[in-house]
Structures are given as C-alpha cells and as structure tokens.
Amino acid sequence: MDAGQGAEAKDGKPQWEVSDFIDYCADQNVPGAELTSYFFPPDATAATMLEVKRRAYLRGVSITGTAVGNNFALAKGKELDDQIADVKKWIDFAAILNAPHIRVFAGNPKKDMNFDEALANCIAAYQECLDYAGTKGVFLGIENHHGLVADPANLIKIIESVKSPWAGINFDSGNFNTEDPYGDLEKIAPYAINVQLKMRVKPKGNPEGTPSDIPRVLKMLRDANYQGWFTLEFEEKEDPFVAVPKILNDLRPRLLSDW
C-alpha cells in the first residue's frame, strides 16, 4: 500500500504519521508498505528513518520503497541541481530503510522551455542519480506521470538512453490519459520494476474515467514476467477505511492465483 492513502485529516480525524500507516498495513495483513517521501516530516533525518525501519520490522511490514516528487525537466542550473540533490538524499534514506525502490518523476517542462532540451536534461539528471543509487543498491523507477512522459514512447526512450541496471519504470496503471491506455501500459510493462495499481483508468476525453480492468492489467504484467511488488494507490472518492479493506480482499486471491 501507498503511504499517501489515508494520510489527510478528514472529518475531524487526526492526520496520520508514517507509523500510523505502517500499523494500518499490519492490521490489514498487508505484507508491504510504500512510504512516500512527502508524508514524512520536512525535517526528517537518518534517525527518523531508523525509527520507521524499526517500527516496520516489529509490525512485520516490509518497506517496499519510497517516492519523491522531483522534476528533472528543468534548465541546467541551481533549480535542477537542487532536484538532483533531493533525490540523492532520499536514496540515502531508502538505503537506511532497506527500501529497494524509489519512484521518481521525469517532470514537466516550463512553458518557455524547449521539449527536446528538457528531455535531454531529464536523461542526464536521471543518469546522475542512477549512478549514485547503484552504489546504495536502490532502484529508481520513472513513473508514467504526464509531462515529458505523457506517452509511452518518451518514457521508453529515457529508460533505453540511460546506462544502469538500477533503472526501470514505475508502472502506474491509471496514469495514461491517452486514446488507448491499456495498449500503452502494455508497451511499458516489460520495463516495470514497481507497480502502482489504481482503481480507475482515464482515457483521453474521459476525465472521470472508468473502473480498471484489473485482470487485464495483471495479465499484461504476468506476460511481461513482472515478479515484483504491487502497491495499491487508492485515489477514489469513497471512504478509504471502508473501501480499501474490500479492495484488498478482492486483490489477494487474484494475485495469489496469477503469481
């Protein structure tokens, strides 16, 4: 499960800490948790990570990875350098957590920036971070997350341009807003090193979307020989405390039968 789910304070309920999310995963008999960086305190330190690692171990929850909100589609200079530095900081944190994967973004170029320049800068920044991640044993999966990678061709181009065994795609089942989302997901499935499963797909011209064809998504990943984690990323309007346990109960037999 993704640490973003249930983290917002609603209906007078207190906002969750990362430790609360770990406890929730344990209580739901979920074997792993993806702990998104921006749900940690902004002043988080190595000591913070050690305490989270301790809590997860005692509750029997594997930390499957983390995620950052970077933008590599920037002009060369301090702003891009700061983005690279932040990703490297979280690579260090991931190593402390024993988190094997970080979700990263390609980014969204500013209106006055040439697309090809943004793409080249993204590839260079990703390569620099991969070189560092490889020394820590951490995968960096670029997500199919709009901007530079709104279509699969540019995302695959980035992956094939870098030189690192620690590169791959963070496969988000709900992020292609194209004419054929499932066809485009199938194109990136062979590069998947982490999966975030959403309950809805939103084809071009359909912002509300339609329920995900989960068996179809699972089949394309199985055909691509994907063998890693599945993260439930719940973004529906329903109460997550009601809906998520039902979804988990539905997913468990599907995953066990398909894997």
Side-chain angles (χ1 to χ4, degrees):
M1 287 182 64
D2 188 317
Q5 312 319 312
E8 295 181 2
K10 293 182 178 179
D11 302 324
K13 296 178 181 177
Q15 185 168 339
W16 276 12
E17 304 286 346
V18 172
S19 59
D20 296 320
F21 179 73
I22 291 170
D23 288 344
Y24 180 79
C25 289
D27 293 343
Q28 296 298 318
N29 196 29
V30 172
E34 182 177 290
L35 306 177
T36 307
S37 66
Y38 31 83
F39 294 103
F40 281 79
D43 57 351
T45 64
T48 308
M49 302 304 142
L50 286 173
E51 180 54 33
V52 169
K53 178 180 179 178
R54 175 181 172 278
R55 180 66 158 261
Y57 181 81
L58 291 175
R59 292 306 314 263
V61 176
S62 296
I63 300 175
T64 67
T66 183
V68 294
N70 66 292
N71 185 358
F72 285 157
L74 299 171
K76 291 183 179 179
K78 185 179 184 306
E79 191 175 2
L80 180 55
D81 290 345
D82 287 346
Q83 295 290 304
I84 294 170
D86 188 63
V87 172
K88 288 182 178 179
K89 179 183 78 172
W90 276 92
I91 291 169
D92 288 338
F93 284 167
I96 294 170
L97 291 167
N98 282 345
H101 174 262
I102 301 177
R103 187 284 318 276
V104 297
F105 290 143
N108 196 8
K110 296 179 179 179
K111 292 181 180 180
D112 60 348
M113 189 172 186
N114 176 274
F115 186 90
D116 290 341
E117 179 187 357
L119 186 62
N121 289 353
C122 171
I123 291 170
Y126 185 36
Q127 182 70 66
E128 181 176 340
C129 290
L130 283 166
D131 291 343
Y132 186 68
T135 69
K136 304 289 184 175
V138 177
F139 288 90
L140 300 183
I142 286 196
E143 183 175 312
N144 51 313
H145 187 82
H146 321 304
L148 285 180
V149 292
D151 67 83
N154 284 326
L155 178 54
I156 292 171
K157 180 178 180 178
I158 292 170
I159 298 302
E160 293 185 343
S161 295
V162 295
K163 307 300 180 186
S164 174
W166 301 95
I169 288 176
N170 186 79
F171 177 110
D172 188 306
S173 69
N175 268 6
F176 276 135
N177 307 129
T178 57
E179 298 283 355
D180 182 14
Y182 291 107
D184 289 335
L185 287 170
E186 194 165 4
K187 292 174 184 176
I188 69 171
Y191 303 89
I193 55 175
N194 190 61
V195 169
Q196 292 176 339
L197 191 64
K198 288 192 172 85
M199 294 296 102
R200 192 166 293 272
V201 295
K202 298 178 180 179
K204 187 176 181 179
N206 185 358
E208 290 299 316
T210 59
S212 293
D213 186 343
I214 292 176
R216 184 175 179 180
V217 173
L218 295 182
K219 182 179 185 304
M220 71 175 70
L221 288 162
R222 182 178 66 244
D223 290 346
N225 198 34
Y226 178 74
Q227 298 178 39
W229 286 97
F230 286 83
T231 299
L232 171 61
E233 189 171 3
F234 185 79
E235 295 183 340
E236 303 300 299
K237 296 178 182 178
E238 303 168 71
D239 182 344
F241 294 100
V242 175
V244 167
K246 294 178 182 179
I247 295 169
L248 293 174
N249 287 334
D250 178 63
L251 285 175
R252 283 190 182 99
R254 292 179 188 269
L255 292 172
L256 289 173
S257 64
D258 287 336
W259 266 262

